[in-house]
Amino acid sequence: MLTGAPDGDTRHVFAGDELLRRWCAAVELGALGCGAAALIALSELTVDARRAGDGPLAALATTTAASLYRQSGRHRDARALDSRGLAFVDAAGAPSRHGVPMWNRAALADTLVNLAADNLGLLRFGVSHRLLERADVVLGRPDDLGEGPWLSEARCRLRLLWVRAEWALYTDNAEHALEVAERAQAQLAARADRGTERHRIKTGLVLAAARAGAGATEQARLDAAALRDQAAEGGLLPLCWAASSLLQGLGDSPDSGPVGSVSSTGMSVNDLHRLLVARGMPFVTSANDR
């Protein structure tokens, strides 16, 4: 069964940061697969952030909604939302209530990384690479995640590493993808707070995919199965579905676990997909949605 709740980012937010807390709560709804509730919360937050003159937070809310569309395979819709988010952060001008350059930089970096992922899904590899380079410059071309604030710094740098690894996989450079993914996992483990559970699982999934691309299929299968179970235990339905989908791509039956029996989640990849749809995740319904 899917149990628990994610150990979310709210522990990284000061009690007085009400809009930031609402953003973190919406992110956690999405992490649980409650797509409809998350999208409503993010839409309302975008409106309230703009009314408060907080362009960076409006951008973060908008690009988080875009991430839910991208996770559901709707890369064009995600790109449209991310482009809107970029306009919010570019138009912000005045300092955010939460402190610029920190939050302005975080919003800009997230938006650029998201746009890179959108364009990667649309097979626009050159555009994606240029956006990753821009994000790298915004974040100061970091060599590691560092011990700075999680939400506004290390998280952004980790997401950049994810998409860099994915870009390498898409462009047939599995060895580089593996190097980037291994570096991301090592640096996340080295942080005192170790990020959040969902970031640890997502980092592990990127590494498993990179291992599969580099030919280490059995290790990738073992990793993906363990990560699927961790995601199920934490109630992280989208990550559970992603891990199950990776296992299916590695040759497992869509209705079974890695050794031919029903998976420990008690749900097949098709069951997980149906549950996500029921919870309002905006999956593609036609080729036009892509």
Side-chain angles (χ1 to χ4, degrees):
M1 291 182 62
L2 292 158
T3 60
D7 59 339
D9 288 323
T10 49
R11 62 193 170 97
H12 296 280
V13 180
F14 293 113
D17 293 336
E18 181 58 29
L19 291 178
L20 271 176
R21 190 170 293 280
R22 285 173 57 190
W23 174 55
C24 291
V27 169
E28 291 184 8
L29 283 172
L32 291 168
C34 301
L39 288 170
I40 290 170
L42 290 164
S43 177
E44 292 173 347
L45 178 57
T46 300
V47 171
D48 290 346
R50 294 191 70 194
R51 284 175 178 165
D54 197 330
L57 193 54
L60 286 168
T62 302
T63 58
T64 300
S67 293
L68 295 176
Y69 279 91
R70 185 171 57 256
Q71 290 169 30
S72 302
R74 298 176 64 165
H75 296 92
R76 294 186 190 280
D77 290 330
R79 184 177 60 177
L81 279 169
D82 283 323
S83 297
R84 190 179 307 166
L86 184 61
F88 291 156
V89 72
D90 280 349
S96 164
R97 295 185 308 108
H98 304 290
V100 163
M102 181 178 70
W103 280 104
N104 211 14
R105 184 174 64 244
L108 181 55
D110 265 10
T111 305
L112 292 170
V113 169
N114 271 18
L115 282 166
D118 299 335
N119 281 282
L120 186 57
L122 295 170
L123 307 183
R124 302 180 71 199
F125 302 137
V127 174
S128 179
H129 185 265
R130 289 192 292 274
L131 287 162
L132 288 172
E133 288 296 299
R134 285 184 62 190
D136 214 359
V137 171
V138 168
L139 292 172
R141 297 194 177 278
D143 292 323
D144 56 45
L145 300 185
E147 289 296 335
W150 169 254
L151 278 176
S152 60
E153 290 187 19
R155 179 191 60 84
C156 303
R157 295 178 179 187
L158 180 62
R159 297 182 74 249
L160 175 60
L161 290 173
W162 289 346
V163 182
R164 280 205 175 282
E166 291 166 352
W167 187 90
L169 278 176
Y170 267 75
T171 55
D172 297 323
N173 193 343
E175 292 301 323
H176 182 60
L178 184 57
E179 185 274 326
V180 174
E182 287 177 338
R183 178 154 45 96
Q185 186 176 67
Q187 291 175 5
L188 184 58
R191 275 185 61 90
D193 60 10
R194 298 187 66 240
T196 69
E197 183 181 26
R198 65 174 174 272
H199 288 92
R200 293 191 293 271
I201 293 173
K202 173 62 183 286
T203 302
L205 283 174
V206 172
L207 178 55
R211 283 175 171 160
T217 306
E218 186 55 32
Q219 184 61 57
R221 183 179 287 110
L222 292 171
D223 291 347
L227 291 162
R228 176 199 59 199
D229 294 347
Q230 290 174 33
E233 182 66 24
L236 301 167
L237 186 59
L239 287 172
C240 186
W241 173 75
S244 297
S245 298
L246 177 57
L247 284 165
Q248 183 177 340
L250 292 171
D252 292 323
S253 164
D255 296 311
S256 68
V259 292
S261 60
V262 175
S263 75
S264 61
T265 65
M267 305 178 74
S268 71
V269 65
N270 293 328
D271 292 333
L272 290 165
H273 182 272
R274 283 190 288 270
L275 182 53
L276 281 167
V277 170
R279 290 186 178 185
M281 286 294 285
F283 279 99
V284 297
T285 58
S286 71
N288 291 332
D289 288 338
R290 298 179 186 277

